Amino acid sequence: GGLVEVSGLTWRPYGRRDPVLRDLTLTIPAGQRVLLVGPSGAGKSTLLRAVGGLLETADSGERTGAVTIDGMPAGSSAGMVGMVLQEPGAGIVSATVGRDVAFGLENVGADRTGMPRVVAESLRAVRLDKPADTPTSALSGGETQRLAIAGALALRPRVLLLDEPTAMLDPDNAASVRAVVDEVTRDRGLTVVVVEHRLGPWLDLVDRLLVLDRAGGIVADGCPGEVLQIH
Ligand code: ADP
Ligand code: ADP
């Protein structure tokens, strides 16, 4: 089996006739990097939330099927999955870089004595070479996204979910985020699912391209060259 198992997942928001996700089944092995694409409204964000274990808490609807991470229901153990959203700053909760990375650790009741080391390591991993007391408001969009990744990494997740992490960034900042995602996922063997509309820059970084259609099903799935028929 894979690290992430989605089996027969159907999800229909209350008040909608048609499901957003329709009988979706998919296996993601540990360490695989997946680019998830499809038209707007296809259910990409919904699928990420399902893997993150947030579908029940953040959305109201009718769900059937199962999502497990390492055999456990998604969302049942804190810190298994890290999530970064499109809007830089959406996940930033603290006034300083150090406090922000420490926030998640404090939430899960991590040992405080080891925290400065984990915070420093996480900032180094995303190449955010700033003192811990740097105001989060002083960061560029790309740095803010890298800070969000650092916050996720501090919890030592197995899976990193990125929902259009570079959509709001200029090309240089976008490149810095991709480079960091590439590096940290290789170094740590993390499993990654990234949603992005501009797929070109990501194609070399991923092992697999997964295409959803408007009807909430998978229309293509394979290595990028295969799916795009590049020979
Ligand atoms: P994508 O990320 O592919 O653009 P989404 O997963 O954001 O698609 O949304 C898919 C569809 O589900 C959209 O039509 C959206 O309006 C609808 N949807 C998503 N979440 C909810 C919700 N909590 N309640 C009602 N409708 C929702
Ligand atoms: P506070 O004084 O409010 O705790 P700090 O900025 O001193 O705020 O610390 C915020 C977090 O950053 C703390 O949880 C600590 O673990 C971490 N931290 C503090 N100093 C450093 C440092 N020099 N390098 C890395 N992390 C640090």
Coordinates of all heavy atoms in Angstrom, one line a residue, residues 29-119:
P29 N 2.6 6.5 -3.0 CA 3.7 5.9 -2.2 C 4.5 7.0 -1.5 O 4.5 8.1 -1.9 CB 4.6 5.3 -3.3 CG 3.9 5.4 -4.6 CD 2.8 6.5 -4.5
A30 N 5.1 6.5 -0.4 CA 6.0 7.4 0.4 C 7.0 8.0 -0.5 O 7.7 7.3 -1.3 CB 6.6 6.7 1.6
G31 N 7.3 9.3 -0.4 CA 8.3 10.0 -1.1 C 8.0 10.4 -2.5 O 8.8 11.1 -3.1
Q32 N 6.8 10.1 -2.9 CA 6.4 10.5 -4.3 C 6.0 12.0 -4.3 O 5.4 12.5 -3.3 CB 5.2 9.7 -4.8 CG 5.0 9.9 -6.3 CD 3.9 8.9 -6.8 OE1 2.8 8.9 -6.4 NE2 4.4 8.1 -7.7
R33 N 6.3 12.6 -5.4 CA 5.9 14.0 -5.6 C 4.9 14.2 -6.7 O 5.2 13.8 -7.8 CB 7.1 14.9 -5.8 CG 8.2 14.5 -4.8 CD 9.3 15.5 -4.6 NE 10.2 15.6 -5.8 CZ 11.2 16.4 -5.8 NH1 11.5 17.2 -4.8 NH2 12.0 16.4 -6.8
V34 N 3.7 14.7 -6.3 CA 2.6 14.6 -7.2 C 2.2 16.1 -7.6 O 2.0 16.9 -6.7 CB 1.4 13.9 -6.6 CG1 0.2 13.9 -7.5 CG2 1.8 12.5 -6.2
L35 N 2.0 16.4 -8.8 CA 1.4 17.6 -9.3 C 0.0 17.4 -9.6 O -0.3 16.6 -10.5 CB 2.2 18.2 -10.5 CG 1.7 19.5 -11.1 CD1 1.8 20.6 -10.1 CD2 2.6 19.8 -12.3
L36 N -0.9 18.1 -8.9 CA -2.4 17.9 -9.1 C -2.9 19.1 -9.9 O -2.8 20.2 -9.5 CB -3.0 17.8 -7.7 CG -4.5 17.7 -7.6 CD1 -5.1 16.4 -8.3 CD2 -5.0 17.7 -6.2
V37 N -3.5 18.8 -11.1 CA -4.0 19.9 -11.9 C -5.4 19.6 -12.4 O -5.9 18.5 -12.2 CB -3.1 20.1 -13.2 CG1 -1.7 20.5 -12.7 CG2 -3.1 18.9 -14.1
G38 N -6.0 20.6 -13.0 CA -7.4 20.4 -13.5 C -8.0 21.8 -13.5 O -7.5 22.7 -12.9
P39 N -9.2 21.9 -14.2 CA -9.8 23.2 -14.3 C -10.3 23.7 -13.0 O -10.4 22.9 -12.0 CB -11.0 22.9 -15.2 CG -11.3 21.5 -15.2 CD -9.9 20.8 -14.9
S40 N -10.5 25.0 -12.9 CA -11.0 25.6 -11.7 C -12.3 25.0 -11.3 O -13.2 24.8 -12.2 CB -11.1 27.1 -11.9 OG -11.7 27.7 -10.8
G41 N -12.5 24.6 -10.0 CA -13.7 24.0 -9.6 C -13.7 22.5 -9.7 O -14.7 21.8 -9.4
A42 N -12.6 21.9 -10.1 CA -12.5 20.5 -10.3 C -12.4 19.7 -9.0 O -12.7 18.5 -9.0 CB -11.3 20.1 -11.2
G43 N -12.1 20.4 -7.9 CA -12.0 19.7 -6.6 C -10.6 19.5 -6.1 O -10.4 18.8 -5.2
K44 N -9.6 20.2 -6.7 CA -8.2 20.0 -6.3 C -8.0 20.4 -4.8 O -7.4 19.7 -4.1 CB -7.3 20.9 -7.2 CG -7.5 20.5 -8.7 CD -6.6 21.4 -9.5 CE -6.8 22.9 -9.5 NZ -8.1 23.2 -10.1
S45 N -8.5 21.6 -4.5 CA -8.4 22.0 -3.1 C -9.1 21.1 -2.1 O -8.7 20.8 -1.0 CB -8.9 23.5 -2.9 OG -8.1 24.4 -3.6
T46 N -10.3 20.7 -2.6 CA -11.1 19.8 -1.8 C -10.3 18.5 -1.5 O -10.3 18.0 -0.4 CB -12.4 19.5 -2.5 OG1 -13.1 20.7 -2.7 CG2 -13.3 18.6 -1.6
L47 N -9.7 18.0 -2.5 CA -8.9 16.7 -2.4 C -7.7 17.0 -1.4 O -7.5 16.1 -0.5 CB -8.4 16.2 -3.7 CG -7.5 15.0 -3.7 CD1 -8.3 13.8 -3.0 CD2 -7.1 14.6 -5.1
L48 N -7.1 18.1 -1.5 CA -6.0 18.4 -0.6 C -6.5 18.5 0.9 O -5.9 17.9 1.8 CB -5.3 19.8 -0.9 CG -4.4 19.8 -2.1 CD1 -3.6 21.1 -2.0 CD2 -3.4 18.6 -2.2
R49 N -7.7 19.1 1.1 CA -8.3 19.2 2.4 C -8.6 17.8 2.9 O -8.5 17.5 4.1 CB -9.5 20.1 2.4 CG -9.1 21.6 2.3 CD -10.2 22.5 2.8 NE -11.5 22.3 2.1 CZ -11.8 22.9 1.0 NH1 -10.9 23.7 0.4 NH2 -13.0 22.7 0.4
A50 N -9.1 17.0 2.0 CA -9.4 15.6 2.4 C -8.2 14.9 2.9 O -8.2 14.2 4.0 CB -10.1 14.8 1.3
V51 N -7.1 15.0 2.2 CA -5.8 14.3 2.6 C -5.3 15.0 3.9 O -4.7 14.3 4.7 CB -4.8 14.4 1.5 CG1 -3.4 13.9 1.9 CG2 -5.2 13.7 0.2
G52 N -5.5 16.3 4.1 CA -5.1 16.9 5.3 C -6.0 16.7 6.5 O -5.8 17.1 7.6
G53 N -7.1 15.9 6.2 CA -8.0 15.6 7.3 C -8.9 16.7 7.7 O -9.5 16.8 8.8
L54 N -9.1 17.7 6.8 CA -9.8 18.9 7.1 C -11.2 18.9 6.5 O -12.0 19.9 6.8 CB -9.1 20.2 6.6 CG -7.7 20.4 7.2 CD1 -7.0 21.6 6.5 CD2 -7.8 20.7 8.7
L55 N -11.6 17.9 5.7 CA -12.8 18.0 5.0 C -14.0 18.0 5.9 O -15.0 18.7 5.7 CB -12.9 16.8 4.1 CG -13.8 16.9 2.8 CD1 -13.5 18.2 2.1 CD2 -13.6 15.8 1.9
E56 N -13.9 17.3 7.0 CA -15.1 17.3 8.0 C -15.1 18.6 8.8 O -16.2 19.0 9.1 CB -15.0 16.1 8.9 CG -15.4 14.8 8.3 CD -14.5 14.3 7.2 OE1 -13.3 14.6 7.3 OE2 -15.0 13.6 6.3
T57 N -14.0 19.1 9.1 CA -14.0 20.3 10.0 C -14.2 21.6 9.3 O -14.9 22.5 9.7 CB -12.7 20.4 10.8 OG1 -11.6 20.2 9.9 CG2 -12.6 19.3 11.8
A58 N -13.7 21.7 8.0 CA -13.7 23.0 7.3 C -14.9 23.1 6.4 O -15.3 24.2 6.0 CB -12.4 23.2 6.5
D59 N -15.5 22.0 6.0 CA -16.6 22.0 5.0 C -17.8 21.2 5.5 O -17.6 20.2 6.2 CB -16.1 21.4 3.8 CG -14.8 22.0 3.3 OD1 -13.7 21.5 3.7 OD2 -14.8 22.9 2.5
S60 N -19.0 21.6 5.2 CA -20.1 20.7 5.5 C -20.6 20.1 4.3 O -21.0 20.7 3.3 CB -21.1 21.5 6.3 OG -21.7 22.5 5.4
G61 N -20.7 18.8 4.4 CA -21.2 18.0 3.2 C -21.3 16.5 3.6 O -21.1 16.2 4.7
E62 N -21.6 15.8 2.5 CA -21.8 14.3 2.7 C -20.6 13.6 2.1 O -20.2 13.8 1.0 CB -23.0 14.0 2.0 CG -23.4 12.5 2.1 CD -24.7 12.3 1.3 OE1 -24.7 12.5 0.1 OE2 -25.7 12.0 1.9
R63 N -19.9 12.8 2.9 CA -18.7 12.1 2.5 C -18.9 10.6 2.6 O -19.4 10.1 3.6 CB -17.6 12.6 3.4 CG -16.2 12.3 2.8 CD -15.1 12.3 3.8 NE -14.8 11.0 4.3 CZ -13.7 10.7 4.8 NH1 -12.7 11.6 5.1 NH2 -13.4 9.4 5.2
T64 N -18.4 9.9 1.6 CA -18.3 8.5 1.7 C -16.9 8.1 1.2 O -16.2 8.9 0.5 CB -19.3 7.7 0.8 OG1 -19.2 8.2 -0.5 CG2 -20.7 7.9 1.3
G65 N -16.4 6.9 1.6 CA -15.1 6.5 1.3 C -14.1 6.8 2.4 O -14.5 7.3 3.5
A66 N -12.8 6.6 2.1 CA -11.8 6.7 3.2 C -10.6 7.4 2.7 O -10.2 7.2 1.5 CB -11.5 5.3 3.8
V67 N -9.9 8.1 3.6 CA -8.6 8.6 3.3 C -7.7 8.3 4.5 O -8.0 8.6 5.6 CB -8.6 10.2 3.1 CG1 -7.2 10.7 2.8 CG2 -9.7 10.6 2.1
T68 N -6.6 7.6 4.2 CA -5.7 7.2 5.3 C -4.3 7.7 5.0 O -3.9 7.8 3.8 CB -5.7 5.7 5.6 OG1 -5.3 5.0 4.4 CG2 -7.1 5.2 6.0
I69 N -3.6 8.0 6.0 CA -2.2 8.3 5.9 C -1.4 7.3 6.8 O -1.7 7.2 8.0 CB -1.8 9.7 6.5 CG1 -2.8 10.8 6.0 CG2 -0.4 10.1 6.2 CD1 -2.7 11.3 4.6
D70 N -0.6 6.5 6.2 CA 0.1 5.5 6.9 C -0.8 4.6 7.7 O -0.6 4.2 8.8 CB 1.1 6.1 7.9 CG 2.3 5.2 8.2 OD1 2.5 4.2 7.4 OD2 3.1 5.4 9.1
G71 N -2.0 4.3 7.0 CA -2.9 3.4 7.6 C -3.9 4.0 8.6 O -4.8 3.3 9.1
M72 N -3.7 5.3 9.0 CA -4.5 5.9 10.0 C -5.5 6.9 9.3 O -5.0 7.6 8.3 CB -3.7 6.7 11.0 CG -2.7 5.9 11.7 SD -3.4 4.8 12.9 CE -3.9 6.0 14.1
P73 N -6.7 7.1 9.7 CA -7.6 8.0 9.1 C -6.9 9.4 9.0 O -6.3 9.9 10.0 CB -8.8 8.0 10.0 CG -8.8 6.7 10.7 CD -7.3 6.4 10.9
A74 N -7.0 10.1 7.9 CA -6.4 11.4 7.7 C -7.0 12.3 8.8 O -8.2 12.3 9.1 CB -6.8 12.0 6.3
G75 N -6.1 13.1 9.4 CA -6.5 14.0 10.4 C -6.5 13.5 11.8 O -6.7 14.2 12.8
S76 N -6.2 12.1 12.0 CA -6.3 11.5 13.3 C -5.0 11.8 14.1 O -5.1 11.7 15.3 CB -6.6 10.0 13.2 OG -5.6 9.4 12.5
S77 N -3.9 12.0 13.4 CA -2.7 12.3 14.2 C -2.1 13.6 13.8 O -1.8 13.8 12.6 CB -1.7 11.2 14.2 OG -1.4 10.8 12.9
A78 N -1.9 14.6 14.7 CA -1.4 15.9 14.4 C 0.0 15.9 13.9 O 0.8 15.1 14.4 CB -1.5 16.7 15.7
G79 N 0.2 16.7 12.9 CA 1.6 16.8 12.4 C 2.0 15.9 11.3 O 3.1 16.0 10.8
M80 N 1.2 14.9 11.0 CA 1.5 14.0 9.9 C 1.5 14.7 8.5 O 2.2 14.3 7.6 CB 0.5 12.9 9.8 CG 0.6 11.8 10.8 SD 2.0 10.7 10.4 CE 1.2 9.5 9.4
V81 N 0.7 15.7 8.4 CA 0.5 16.4 7.2 C 0.7 17.9 7.4 O 0.1 18.5 8.3 CB -0.9 16.2 6.6 CG1 -1.2 17.0 5.4 CG2 -1.1 14.7 6.4
G82 N 1.5 18.5 6.6 CA 1.7 20.0 6.6 C 1.0 20.6 5.4 O 1.0 20.0 4.3
M83 N 0.4 21.8 5.5 CA -0.3 22.3 4.4 C 0.1 23.8 4.3 O 0.2 24.6 5.2 CB -1.8 22.2 4.7 CG -2.7 22.5 3.5 SD -4.1 21.4 3.6 CE -5.2 22.1 2.5
V84 N 0.3 24.2 3.0 CA 0.6 25.6 2.7 C -0.4 26.1 1.6 O -0.6 25.4 0.7 CB 2.1 25.7 2.2 CG1 2.4 27.1 1.7 CG2 3.1 25.3 3.2
L85 N -1.0 27.3 1.9 CA -2.0 27.8 1.0 C -1.5 28.8 0.1 O -0.3 29.3 0.2 CB -3.2 28.3 1.9 CG -3.8 27.3 2.9 CD1 -4.8 28.0 3.7 CD2 -4.4 26.1 2.1
Q86 N -2.3 29.2 -0.8 CA -2.0 30.2 -1.9 C -1.5 31.5 -1.4 O -0.6 32.1 -1.8 CB -3.2 30.3 -2.9 CG -3.0 31.3 -4.0 CD -4.1 31.3 -4.9 OE1 -5.0 30.4 -4.9 NE2 -4.2 32.4 -5.7
E87 N -2.3 32.1 -0.5 CA -2.1 33.4 -0.1 C -1.0 33.5 0.9 O -1.0 33.0 2.0 CB -3.4 33.9 0.7 CG -3.3 35.2 1.4 CD -4.0 36.3 0.7 OE1 -5.0 36.0 -0.1 OE2 -3.7 37.5 0.9
P88 N 0.1 34.2 0.5 CA 1.2 34.3 1.5 C 0.7 35.0 2.8 O 0.0 36.0 2.7 CB 2.3 35.2 0.8 CG 1.9 35.1 -0.7 CD 0.4 34.9 -0.7
G89 N 1.0 34.4 3.9 CA 0.5 35.0 5.1 C -0.8 34.4 5.6 O -1.1 34.6 6.8
A90 N -1.5 33.6 4.8 CA -2.7 33.0 5.2 C -2.5 32.1 6.5 O -3.3 32.0 7.3 CB -3.3 32.2 4.1
G91 N -1.3 31.4 6.5 CA -1.0 30.5 7.6 C -0.1 31.1 8.6 O 0.4 30.4 9.5
I92 N 0.2 32.4 8.5 CA 1.2 33.0 9.4 C 0.4 33.6 10.6 O -0.6 34.3 10.4 CB 1.9 34.2 8.7 CG1 2.7 33.7 7.5 CG2 2.9 34.8 9.7 CD1 3.6 32.5 7.7
V93 N 0.7 33.1 11.8 CA -0.1 33.5 13.0 C 0.7 34.3 14.0 O 0.1 34.8 14.9 CB -0.5 32.2 13.7 CG1 -1.6 31.5 12.8 CG2 0.6 31.3 14.0
S94 N 2.0 34.5 13.7 CA 2.8 35.2 14.8 C 3.5 36.4 14.2 O 3.7 36.6 13.0 CB 3.8 34.2 15.3 OG 3.2 33.1 15.8
A95 N 4.0 37.3 15.1 CA 4.6 38.5 14.8 C 6.0 38.4 14.4 O 6.6 39.2 13.6 CB 4.5 39.5 15.9
T96 N 6.7 37.3 14.8 CA 8.1 37.1 14.5 C 8.3 35.7 13.8 O 7.5 34.8 14.1 CB 9.1 37.2 15.7 OG1 8.8 36.1 16.5 CG2 8.9 38.5 16.4
V97 N 9.3 35.7 13.0 CA 9.7 34.4 12.3 C 9.8 33.3 13.3 O 9.3 32.2 13.0 CB 11.0 34.7 11.5 CG1 11.7 33.5 11.0 CG2 10.7 35.7 10.3
G98 N 10.6 33.5 14.3 CA 10.8 32.4 15.3 C 9.6 31.9 16.0 O 9.3 30.7 16.1
R99 N 8.8 32.9 16.4 CA 7.5 32.5 17.1 C 6.6 31.8 16.2 O 5.9 30.9 16.6 CB 6.8 33.8 17.6 CG 7.4 34.5 18.8 CD 6.4 34.7 19.9 NE 5.9 33.4 20.4 CZ 6.5 32.5 21.2 NH1 7.7 32.9 21.7 NH2 6.0 31.4 21.5
D100 N 6.6 32.2 14.9 CA 5.7 31.5 13.9 C 6.1 30.1 13.7 O 5.2 29.2 13.7 CB 5.7 32.3 12.6 CG 4.5 31.9 11.8 OD1 3.4 32.4 12.1 OD2 4.6 31.1 10.9
V101 N 7.3 29.8 13.6 CA 7.7 28.4 13.4 C 7.5 27.6 14.7 O 7.1 26.4 14.6 CB 9.2 28.3 13.0 CG1 9.7 26.8 12.9 CG2 9.5 29.0 11.6
A102 N 7.7 28.2 15.8 CA 7.5 27.6 17.1 C 6.0 27.3 17.4 O 5.7 26.4 18.2 CB 8.1 28.4 18.2
F103 N 5.1 28.1 16.7 CA 3.7 28.0 17.1 C 3.1 26.6 17.0 O 2.4 26.1 17.9 CB 2.9 29.0 16.2 CG 1.4 28.9 16.4 CD1 0.8 29.6 17.4 CD2 0.6 28.1 15.6 CE1 -0.5 29.6 17.7 CE2 -0.8 28.1 15.8 CZ -1.4 28.8 16.8
G104 N 3.4 25.9 15.9 CA 2.9 24.6 15.7 C 3.4 23.6 16.7 O 2.7 22.8 17.2
L105 N 4.7 23.8 17.0 CA 5.3 22.9 18.0 C 4.7 23.1 19.4 O 4.5 22.2 20.1 CB 6.8 23.2 18.1 CG 7.7 22.8 16.9 CD1 9.1 23.5 16.9 CD2 7.8 21.3 16.8
E106 N 4.5 24.4 19.7 CA 3.8 24.7 21.0 C 2.4 24.1 21.1 O 2.0 23.6 22.1 CB 3.8 26.2 21.2 CG 5.2 26.8 21.5 CD 5.3 28.3 21.4 OE1 4.3 28.9 21.1 OE2 6.5 28.8 21.6
N107 N 1.7 24.2 19.9 CA 0.4 23.6 19.9 C 0.3 22.1 20.1 O -0.6 21.6 20.7 CB -0.2 23.9 18.5 CG -1.2 24.9 18.5 OD1 -1.6 25.4 19.5 ND2 -1.8 25.3 17.3
V108 N 1.3 21.4 19.7 CA 1.3 20.0 19.9 C 2.1 19.6 21.2 O 2.3 18.4 21.5 CB 1.9 19.2 18.7 CG1 1.1 19.4 17.5 CG2 3.4 19.5 18.5
G109 N 2.4 20.6 22.0 CA 3.0 20.4 23.3 C 4.4 19.8 23.2 O 4.9 19.1 24.1
A110 N 5.2 20.3 22.2 CA 6.6 19.8 22.0 C 7.4 20.3 23.2 O 7.2 21.3 23.8 CB 7.1 20.2 20.7
D111 N 8.5 19.6 23.4 CA 9.5 19.9 24.5 C 10.1 21.3 24.2 O 10.7 21.5 23.1 CB 10.5 18.8 24.6 CG 11.7 19.2 25.4 OD1 11.5 20.0 26.4 OD2 12.8 18.8 25.1
R112 N 10.0 22.2 25.1 CA 10.4 23.6 24.8 C 12.0 23.7 24.8 O 12.5 24.6 24.1 CB 9.9 24.6 25.9 CG 8.5 25.0 25.6 CD 7.9 25.9 26.6 NE 6.5 26.1 26.3 CZ 6.1 27.1 25.5 NH1 6.9 28.0 25.0 NH2 4.8 27.3 25.2
T113 N 12.7 22.9 25.4 CA 14.1 23.0 25.4 C 14.7 22.8 24.1 O 15.7 23.4 23.7 CB 14.8 22.1 26.5 OG1 14.4 20.7 26.1 CG2 14.4 22.4 27.9
G114 N 14.1 21.9 23.3 CA 14.6 21.6 22.0 C 14.1 22.6 20.9 O 14.6 22.5 19.7
M115 N 13.2 23.5 21.3 CA 12.5 24.3 20.3 C 13.4 25.2 19.5 O 13.3 25.3 18.3 CB 11.4 25.1 20.9 CG 10.0 24.5 20.5 SD 8.7 25.4 21.2 CE 7.7 24.1 21.9
P116 N 14.3 26.0 20.2 CA 15.1 26.9 19.4 C 15.9 26.2 18.3 O 16.1 26.7 17.2 CB 16.1 27.5 20.4 CG 15.3 27.4 21.7 CD 14.5 26.1 21.6
R117 N 16.4 24.9 18.6 CA 17.2 24.2 17.6 C 16.3 23.8 16.5 O 16.7 23.9 15.3 CB 17.8 22.9 18.3 CG 18.7 22.2 17.4 CD 19.3 20.9 18.1 NE 18.2 20.1 18.7 CZ 17.4 19.3 18.0 NH1 17.6 19.1 16.7 NH2 16.5 18.6 18.6
V118 N 15.1 23.3 16.7 CA 14.2 22.9 15.7 C 13.8 24.1 14.8 O 13.7 24.0 13.6 CB 12.9 22.2 16.3 CG1 11.9 21.8 15.2 CG2 13.3 20.9 17.1
V119 N 13.5 25.2 15.5 CA 13.1 26.4 14.8 C 14.3 26.8 13.9 O 14.0 27.1 12.7 CB 12.8 27.6 15.8 CG1 12.7 28.9 15.1 CG2 11.5 27.3 16.5

